[in-house]
Amino acid sequence: MSGTAWKYGDNVDTDVIIPARYLNVSTPNELAQHCMEDVSPGFVGSVRPGDVIVAGENFGCGSSREHAPLAIKASGVACVVASSFARIFYRNAINTGLPILECPEVVQDTEQGDQLRVDLEAGTIRNLRTQQTYHTSPFPPFIMRIMECGGLIPFTRQRLGGAERSSIDTGEGPGD
Amino acid sequence: MPHTIAEKILADHLKDSGRDAPSEPERELWPGDLVEVAVDVVLANDVTAPIAIREFANLGVDRVFDPSRVVMVADHFVPNKDIKSAEQCRVMREFARSQELVHYYDVGRMGIEHVLLPEQGLVVSGDVVVGADSHTCTYGAVGAFATGMGSTDIAVAMATGQIWMRVPETIQVVYHGELRPWVGGKDLILFTIGQIGVSGALYKALEFSGPAMEGLSMAGRFTMSNMAIEAGAKVGLFQTDEMTCSYLDARAARPYVKYKADSAATYSQVLEIDVGLVEPQVAFPYSPDNARPVGEADDVVIDQVVIGSCTNGRLEDLRVAAEVMKGHQVHSNVRCIVIPGTQRVYTEALREGLLEVFVEAGAAVSTPTCGPCLGGHMGVLAAGERAVSTTNRNFRGRMGHPDSEVYLAGPAVAAASAVKGRITGPEEVLLQAR
């Protein structure tokens, strides 16, 4: 998939991803109507399916609101690439099936409006302007399994069904 | 091998060992391990519970794992601020009733969750607590491994009584020296976050220790643990000492386990802070790590003051604010809103005459609610307005319009600023004739 990069700085907090004044609803499509509006008023009207949010350190810091990844996903964003993620957002994105990738090099080299091609399975990102390709470090196997199931609910449902009772593999990489 | 508090508590909660199988050999955990642990308490509120309940239904499970250990509190947008909020509260209320939750708190009996749960003795030392609210880390003050998560994690924890965790590295913060007058837990944690930054403890645990912590009140400890998340931390832990035990013994309905870190435990970083050098702090917009001594904020004129929240809504906080405000008037250009954290805090503040001090000074006193802290209701800011607030976040738009500003401070600075109409420390007010 490929799309336009929406570039942001460090410490993008969940209050600007989805302001609390809209948390009186919890349906993803309603939340998406206000995604990023306090820092990026043009985002909602211009974002297209397949676009990519590219941000610096500590993306998604602050509140635990799962409304944040739900709003981003429902707005059509295909993937968030950041230098690092706040730990609750990291879990929430994996649990709700919003693709995320950690790659400081991409963040450093990407400009607003660049076209990025993301291959989630291969963990690669290609910037079509610079023709540069980047490789991201893989997720720990346990987290990969949650992502492959489409999120924590299908993953847990499968386990509760007795299909799998194995313990967690310890792996390297960013955790929760 | 020597371990941190976080490693010890998680090891004792491994799902295949610990309490149910005491004969099993002790298992050690190290930072980076991914584990599944048993949870003692699961928490959600009126904003996060509706999604958790939806996902719980998607799991295909009928009953929560233990109705006495799933706690739900209506605190964010209550008393219902609008029809949509009322609908969300109804979803939570109906779930709580149908699941026969023992600890469900609604208007008139509720409190701000992180003031309420410790007060009611629902969270104790040695617990693993997961809550769909980022300030769940508050319970680190009573020695609980308590951490915020999203609604889907909470749905799974409600269903299974278990959660996956990555064992965190720990940063030890050691506080020495004597506190200056009017410096409390809020000033110490703002100063600390100012030192390490909002991502300084990302994915990690904070351990607050040192001689200056031994004398810090439980209220001060709750304030510090509460804001661990503002440095990106997963938990903000205190060692369980005599003060913790006397607090818990007066409240806890369950036995508890005391933990302390081994002196040879491995820390990813050790930070030493001389509290004698810490002045009352103010965190400028738009980040909690933008902390400066109150003297640097002297020319900031304000429109609103909020005293309360899960950070500073305890009786001790209200006492400090009342001590400063007593006999004075809130500045004519300022709206001051005081919000006791729970019904019990409200009652005790009433009995002590604190609420009378606030009302006579021209402040509004509210029933417990998170309301203004997140720009929900009960004190939303207009464009260009500035507030001093004892809450925990000053992100853009946090308390209302994206062009409004929030300055974070402790109750002494907040009360003094309410009187003067600009940001100032308490000395200036106390020197002034009443």
Side-chain angles (χ1 to χ4, degrees), chain B residues 26 61 252 288 346:
Chain B
E26 193 179 310
V61 176
Y346 196 106

PDB file of all heavy atoms in Angstrom, chain B residues 26 61 252 288 346:
ATOM      1  N   GLU B  26      10.450 -20.624  43.146  1.00  0.00           N
ATOM      2  CA  GLU B  26      10.312 -19.217  42.820  1.00  0.00           C
ATOM      3  C   GLU B  26      10.887 -18.941  41.440  1.00  0.00           C
ATOM      4  O   GLU B  26      11.966 -19.416  41.108  1.00  0.00           O
ATOM      5  CB  GLU B  26      11.070 -18.417  43.870  1.00  0.00           C
ATOM      6  CG  GLU B  26      10.769 -16.948  43.859  1.00  0.00           C
ATOM      7  CD  GLU B  26      11.557 -16.241  44.958  1.00  0.00           C
ATOM      8  OE1 GLU B  26      11.521 -16.708  46.113  1.00  0.00           O
ATOM      9  OE2 GLU B  26      12.204 -15.254  44.640  1.00  0.00           O
ATOM     10  N   VAL B  61     -17.623 -14.091  26.108  1.00  0.00           N
ATOM     11  CA  VAL B  61     -17.606 -14.549  27.504  1.00  0.00           C
ATOM     12  C   VAL B  61     -18.829 -13.966  28.198  1.00  0.00           C
ATOM     13  O   VAL B  61     -19.210 -12.827  27.941  1.00  0.00           O
ATOM     14  CB  VAL B  61     -16.304 -14.062  28.201  1.00  0.00           C
ATOM     15  CG1 VAL B  61     -16.298 -14.423  29.677  1.00  0.00           C
ATOM     16  CG2 VAL B  61     -15.095 -14.667  27.501  1.00  0.00           C
ATOM     17  N   ALA B 252      -7.930  -1.450  54.265  1.00  0.00           N
ATOM     18  CA  ALA B 252      -7.920  -2.605  53.369  1.00  0.00           C
ATOM     19  C   ALA B 252      -8.820  -3.727  53.857  1.00  0.00           C
ATOM     20  O   ALA B 252      -8.835  -4.056  55.043  1.00  0.00           O
ATOM     21  CB  ALA B 252      -6.495  -3.118  53.216  1.00  0.00           C
ATOM     22  N   PRO B 288       3.858  18.760  30.622  1.00  0.00           N
ATOM     23  CA  PRO B 288       4.138  18.643  32.059  1.00  0.00           C
ATOM     24  C   PRO B 288       5.637  18.724  32.378  1.00  0.00           C
ATOM     25  O   PRO B 288       5.997  18.948  33.536  1.00  0.00           O
ATOM     26  CB  PRO B 288       3.574  17.264  32.425  1.00  0.00           C
ATOM     27  CG  PRO B 288       2.606  16.939  31.349  1.00  0.00           C
ATOM     28  CD  PRO B 288       3.133  17.589  30.103  1.00  0.00           C
ATOM     29  N   TYR B 346     -15.201  15.179  50.619  1.00  0.00           N
ATOM     30  CA  TYR B 346     -16.165  16.287  50.671  1.00  0.00           C
ATOM     31  C   TYR B 346     -16.695  16.444  52.101  1.00  0.00           C
ATOM     32  O   TYR B 346     -16.713  17.536  52.657  1.00  0.00           O
ATOM     33  CB  TYR B 346     -17.308  15.982  49.700  1.00  0.00           C
ATOM     34  CG  TYR B 346     -18.193  17.159  49.345  1.00  0.00           C
ATOM     35  CD1 TYR B 346     -18.107  17.753  48.097  1.00  0.00           C
ATOM     36  CD2 TYR B 346     -19.119  17.652  50.247  1.00  0.00           C
ATOM     37  CE1 TYR B 346     -18.918  18.827  47.746  1.00  0.00           C
ATOM     38  CE2 TYR B 346     -19.931  18.723  49.914  1.00  0.00           C
ATOM     39  CZ  TYR B 346     -19.827  19.306  48.662  1.00  0.00           C
ATOM     40  OH  TYR B 346     -20.635  20.362  48.321  1.00  0.00           O
TER      41      TYR B 346
END
